[in-house]
Amino acid sequence: MTEGQGDSAATPVRLARIGGDGIGPEVVGAAVRVVDAVCGDRIEWVEAEMGWRTFERTGRALPEATVETLEGCAGALFGAVSSPSHAVDGYRSPIVELRRRLDLYANVRPLQSGARAASRRRGRSAGAASDDDGRVAIDAVVVRENTEGLYAGRERWEREGEVAIAERVISRRATERIVRFACELALSRAAQRGSPARLTVVHKANVLRLSDGLFRETALDVAAGFPEIEVEEQLVDSMVYRLILAPERYDGIVAPNLYGDILSDAGAALVGGLGVVGSANCGQCFCLAEPVHGSAPDIAGRGIANPIAAVSAAALLLERVGLGEEAGRIREVLAKHRTVGPRTPDRGGDATTEEAVADLLRRV
Ligand code: NAI
Ligand code: MG
């Protein structure tokens, strides 16, 4: 739908925006403004809904109409949903369901420091890369398998409720595709920054000999097909230790579902917190990007949510739908904003969401 543009105008990329609950609509609204400022009419947004408020109104947390809308889009920017901690009849987390239905098998979570996170780590490791202020910089990406592992949903009771069993599923097919994805991402990141790629394969094959053994063996096989990448392996427990001790030494990290979840949350704490980290759920031909944070009901409606995580997620989305230049532009703007722009309260400042967005727009 080119809305009367001239013949020379490219067909816009159609993306869905799903605010969800709590601060979701606030941060998605902010990110859409930044994207539009950078991309102009190259994006056509369509609105879709899911989450707790949708469930209360319609009885479905993920309406069929939303899935249909998404199927007609190249990708989506999603805020967050509020999921109650107690069981509610008929309610299931719509984001978990969407990852499954759209087969969004790769969860990508970049960990990039701003100056402030880096300053805490100053002097930790000689010879590490530096950010603009000459301080240690973190630039890693966790690629988490998003469809199986311990989150396969195979739990059951035994001995009349005295024992709970969870089955952990690792398949060669899912491991092959996640590791291939991680290798391709490592190469494109390396090409962008002009230095060699490294990939760390995370597992616990010394204990889980069959399941993590299969993950390890398959991962090393696939990675061997990418001779330009320096590949190493690391047991998950010491990986958490090393990531916290020397995060600047990591580049690509690939891990089964739960390990990747834990590593990326630990990593978020190293680079400025939940308010700044974006993520992308990627499938073969669809990408759903979202901030790592939830709906933050404690600050919803107060106009103080940090928009950085949602804007970072939007950059990941643009990259995946073929707007790499625009994504790069947003990253530059974000880097400057994080260094010298007004800070929202979660980053120790007193700026509002609106002031943060105004600063981002000014830098575009
Ligand atoms: P949360 O991430 O929503 O909030 C944790 C803390 O970080 C809160 O103090 C919050 O104010 C702060 N925070 C988060 N994002 C922020 C931002 N952009 N700017 C400033 N401060 C921010 O996690 P919580 O409290 O555990 O969960 C709240 C709700 O979110 C729950 O209903 C949970 O189910 C849901 N949730 C949804 C997710 C999703 O939709 N993908 C992911 C995680 C949680
Ligand atoms: Mg998590």
Side-chain angles (χ1 to χ4, degrees), residues 9 15 44 46 48 61 65 72 125 136-137 145-146 176 204 207 220 229 240 275 281 289 293 302 324-325 328-329:
L15 298 176
E44 180 200 347
V46 286
S125 132
V136 172
E145 203 291 319
N146 221 10
E176 274 171 1
K204 187 74 182 175
V207 175
L220 296 180
I229 302 178
V240 176
N281 301 280
H293 64 71
R302 291 173 52 197
E325 234 170 78
R329 185 81 202 94

Side-chain angles (χ1 to χ4, degrees), residues 317-337:
L317 176 60
L318 294 184
E319 184 101 59
R320 293 292 301 175
V321 299
L323 297 172
E325 234 170 78
E326 288 80 356
R329 185 81 202 94
I330 289 183
R331 284 200 191 97
E332 282 167 29
V333 165
L334 274 174
K336 290 211 187 81
H337 171 75

Side-chain angles (χ1 to χ4, degrees), residues 64-142:
E64 258 340 278
T66 293
V67 179
E68 277 162 30
T69 299
L70 294 183
E71 281 165 353
C73 292
L77 182 62
F78 162 59
V81 294
S82 296
S83 293
S85 297
H86 55 282
V88 173
D89 257 358
Y91 182 89
R92 290 170 55 192
S93 165
I95 180 67
V96 173
E97 192 177 340
L98 256 190
R99 285 174 185 156
R100 189 179 51 77
R101 283 188 64 176
L102 302 179
D103 196 24
L104 306 176
Y105 64 90
N107 192 297
V108 179
R109 294 180 166 190
L111 303 172
Q112 268 145 357
S113 55
R116 192 149 183 254
S119 72
R120 274 193 239 123
R121 323 198 52 76
R122 185 174 4 202
R124 274 275 174 86
S125 132
S130 289
D131 64 10
D132 291 344
D133 295 349
R135 297 183 281 214
V136 172
I138 302 167
D139 182 14
V141 60
V142 177

Side-chain angles (χ1 to χ4, degrees), residues 188-208:
S188 77
R189 279 166 44 89
Q192 268 171 24
R193 63 169 190 252
S195 65
R198 181 194 279 167
L199 182 71
T200 308
V201 176
V202 180
H203 60 77
K204 187 74 182 175
N206 57 333
V207 175
L208 298 165

